[in-house]
Amino acid sequence: MPRRRILDYLDLGNVSEERWTFSYLILAWAAELGNGVIQTITGPMQPFLAYNLKTDTSTINLVWTLGFIGFLLGSILTSHIFTKYLVTGRLKLFMMFIILLSTGVSTLALPFASNLPILLLCRFVQFLCYGVFLTGDSILLVFTLGPEKSRPFINTLHFFISIGFLAGTFLVQPFLPGTREKVCRSEEIANNTTDVKSSDSEVEVIEKFLGVQSIAWPFIISSGWCILVSFGFLVLAVSDLAMPQFYDENINTRHKDGERVKLTRGRKRIFLTMIILFFALSGAVVRVFQSMSMTFALCGPLALNSHRAALTDSFYSSGMCFGRLASIALATKFLPSTLLRGSTLCCLAASVLLLILAPHYAVSLYLGVAIMGFFVSWQFGTGFSWTSHHMNITGRISSIFFIGLGVGSLSSPPLAGFLFTINPMSVLYLVTGMIVVQAGTVMVLWFVSELRIPVLDDPQSQDLVGSANIEDLAESSNLK
């Protein structure tokens, strides 16, 4: 039975803590599924939102930029307050409840925005909440279970986000308008470069269902899911179940953590710099596909109809879903460094496939994005685990992952949208270039963490990043 297997693996030895942990995992997975859906539905609906607001591709892509500015701020805020000020399990869960409830409300408001600034504000709030929730969720898993036992659950968390990505692509299908010509001309209309026939305004491009535009329904449904699940955190917060703790409130380990391999100060500085760059590039690649897959298939060289174009998102999200499922099992068999090197090389191969064949064959586009999604999906959870193998990541340092992810995610969609208006193929060249740089960062990470480099191994610079890691400083003083 999966429940018994999970609890046997955790070996908590306390019935109340076991029940709390299992309940929390179910709620967290359901919440992250909802977070995945609210992100994905925006991609396929993006051309139609642009049509509604009479704007172009590069401008509507600002929903990703403003969204991930919010994500970045939410992540940084959470990393500073989550373990320092929310010192009890009940306070942590109350915050998770409020944030997920706010996610649902902002998602509900998004498709009804009457102009671009309101749309961007809704997206900002939505992703601010997403950044707070994802950061808090990731910290809480390591905080309660420790860096080793939390590994498969970190990957499972992202697996459920990818299930949400996939579910979102199917959720939008029944509500997609059938036309593409007027939508793909929305940029020309916005720039007044094409005369619009008066008959165009008489044709209803976006149909209505129960008195509401069809494109609004995926937002309504996904917001309802988030609001419903949020109350589960409230119920768990007021229950009498005990939350397990691997760390105490001061981020010191309560249990022996013999597997952590410490890096010297020089190695840690390089490692942290490279891991931020890696996550920025990983986030950039993911968001280019989420924001531009539908647009590339609909208005790019293949000029597919809206339903066939939306399948591009379905194949990409399917790849992410199955990739994260595979990474859960692989995380128990292989080192994070091995998984990350393999992931990057396979992403590079997928980008070459897309460059050569995607402009000519729809099946190549579908296959290429599925392969890309499968292997890029390993990167966040694996990079998170690789870093936790070398340092404590439950305090302020936890924000580095989300800073990197946020910077890449907020900058790549508008850049990709701008390049698309020049030449649709430029989007694929951009992705390939980013993955080449990413492969370089992974090699540097491997050299720094695995190979002996005398210039970086100064015995007097043991233990990390100044005062950012309280546990390392405490252990270092004990060694002395």
Side-chain angles (χ1 to χ4, degrees), residues 244-316:
Q245 285 187 230
F246 185 88
Y247 298 91
D248 65 19
E249 290 78 5
N250 295 315
I251 321 302
N252 299 310
T253 51
R254 288 183 165 186
H255 309 280
K256 185 178 179 180
D257 188 15
E259 63 139 355
R260 182 175 299 156
V261 180
K262 292 185 180 181
L263 301 176
T264 60
R265 182 177 299 171
R267 287 176 181 264
K268 280 181 176 177
R269 286 175 176 170
I270 297 173
F271 190 95
L272 289 173
T273 301
M274 288 296 103
I275 205 72
I276 291 171
L277 177 59
F278 173 82
F279 275 101
L281 292 166
S282 181
V285 170
V286 169
R287 303 312 162 190
V288 166
F289 280 95
Q290 282 191 327
S291 65
M292 294 302 299
S293 291
M294 171 79 171
T295 304
F296 182 88
L298 187 72
C299 305
L302 293 174
L304 303 176
N305 65 48
S306 61
H307 291 279
R308 291 186 65 200
L311 286 176
T312 311
D313 277 310
S314 297
F315 275 92
Y316 175 69

Side-chain angles (χ1 to χ4, degrees), residues 425-465:
M425 285 299 297
S426 299
V427 175
L428 299 183
Y429 288 117
L430 174 65
V431 167
T432 303
M434 290 191 296
I435 294 174
V436 169
V437 177
Q438 191 181 51
T441 65
V442 171
M443 292 310 298
V444 173
L445 286 167
W446 184 72
F447 285 137
V448 167
S449 62
E450 305 294 335
L451 298 183
R452 290 191 60 80
I453 307 172
V455 71
L456 295 177
D457 292 330
D458 175 9
Q460 298 190 359
S461 7
Q462 291 291 332
D463 307 321
L464 177 81
V465 192

Side-chain angles (χ1 to χ4, degrees), residues 396-412:
R396 288 180 295 174
I397 202 172
S398 64
S399 65
I400 64 169
F401 309 103
F402 303 100
I403 289 172
L405 185 68
V407 169
S409 298
L410 68 88
S411 59
S412 63

